[in-house]
Amino acid sequence: MKIDLNSDMGEGFGRWRIADDDGLMDTVSSANIACGFHAGDYAIMDRTVRLAKEKGVGIGAHPGLPDLMGFGRRAMAVSDADMESMMCYQIGALQGIATRHGHRVTHVSYHAAFGNMANADEGLALRLTRAIAALDRNLSVFCMPGQATERAAEKAGLRAQTLFLADRAYTTAGTLVPRGQPGAVIHDLTGVRARVKQFLQDGSVTTIDGTRLPVRAQSILVHSDTPGSLELARAIRAEIEASGGLLTPACQLGN
């Protein structure tokens, strides 16, 4: 079985870094690179793309809201037109840097509140995926299964690549438990590895209330800002390899 392991990277700013991107780049197969709005800047983007190219890691744009102080996790009053423009601006910036290094942006993965806004509005979700298709019809869209972004990607003629979030708790509805609620973020190494093993064995996750929920996914995500993210990523990779899985960049996976 081929499966992707991805993480959000380049989420520092200036001299500050939020995670061990070097270590993560040795562990994952795809990187979602912050494009300067919720985190990141031109220098960090350049370094992250160059490192991904060296390591053979696939790259995608990780557009977010213009909210450095809130790390893109706060809801903002932003028009649909502005959402579309700021997303294209961020994707285009990463495409330019990637071209310089002989690498290629192959997917888009919305960050935090940006993605929540898209999934809450079918019209906005479709507008965004149509804009992505106008930039490059070969781009795929990372999304959780069954949400508005997946449906919008398919309507826009784009490939939707579904995710299993290893370090986030699920509700019985298949959505994520909101950050700030007890147990929403999982950073226990044993717990994360058990969740990944369950997902790999039977394609399910145990929700926060103990229900076994089917999860249809091609890629496993671990957030770089989760405490101990590098150790978590290494444990997830080890579990994938122990199960006989072949770690493969998302851009090399079939539909």
Side-chain angles (χ1 to χ4, degrees), residues 200-218:
L200 292 171
Q201 287 181 341
D202 65 11
S204 73
V205 64
T206 300
T207 67
I208 197 161
D209 67 355
T211 304
R212 208 172 185 89
L213 178 75
V215 178
R216 171 176 48 83
Q218 302 169 303

Side-chain angles (χ1 to χ4, degrees), residues 37-38 65-75 111-113:
F37 274 40
H38 75 279
L65 295 175
D67 180 25
L68 287 173
M69 286 292 290
F71 198 62
R73 290 198 171 126
R74 300 182 295 191
H111 173 73

Side-chain angles (χ1 to χ4, degrees), residues 43-185:
I44 292 175
M45 290 166 68
D46 188 83
R47 180 182 182 278
T48 307
V49 169
R50 176 171 46 80
L51 189 59
K53 172 70 173 179
E54 291 173 358
K55 302 293 184 179
V57 172
I59 61 171
H62 194 41
L65 295 175
D67 180 25
L68 287 173
M69 286 292 290
F71 198 62
R73 290 198 171 126
R74 300 182 295 191
M76 300 178 68
V78 181
S79 70
D80 289 3
D82 280 350
M83 290 280 286
E84 180 182 351
S85 295
M86 69 175 66
M87 179 193 70
C88 292
Y89 182 96
Q90 292 175 80
I91 296 171
L94 188 65
Q95 286 175 324
I97 291 174
T99 299
R100 172 174 179 255
H101 289 288
H103 211 5
R104 187 170 69 88
V105 176
T106 57
H107 70 269
V108 177
S109 177
Y110 302 151
H111 173 73
F114 191 102
N116 293 340
M117 291 172 70
N119 281 315
D121 184 336
E122 297 274 353
L124 173 60
L126 184 56
R127 180 170 182 160
L128 294 175
T129 53
R130 283 175 173 166
I132 293 170
L135 291 174
D136 182 353
R137 298 201 68 85
N138 293 314
L139 288 170
S140 64
V141 181
F142 278 11
C143 52
M144 290 182 66
Q147 295 198 358
T149 295
E150 181 183 25
R151 295 188 291 273
E154 292 169 349
K155 288 179 182 177
L158 298 174
R159 183 159 54 124
Q161 294 190 290
T162 48
L163 300 172
F164 167 59
L165 278 65
D167 55 355
R168 292 296 312 279
Y170 282 68
T171 69
T172 53
T175 59
L176 299 178
V177 174
R179 286 180 181 270
Q181 291 191 14
V185 180

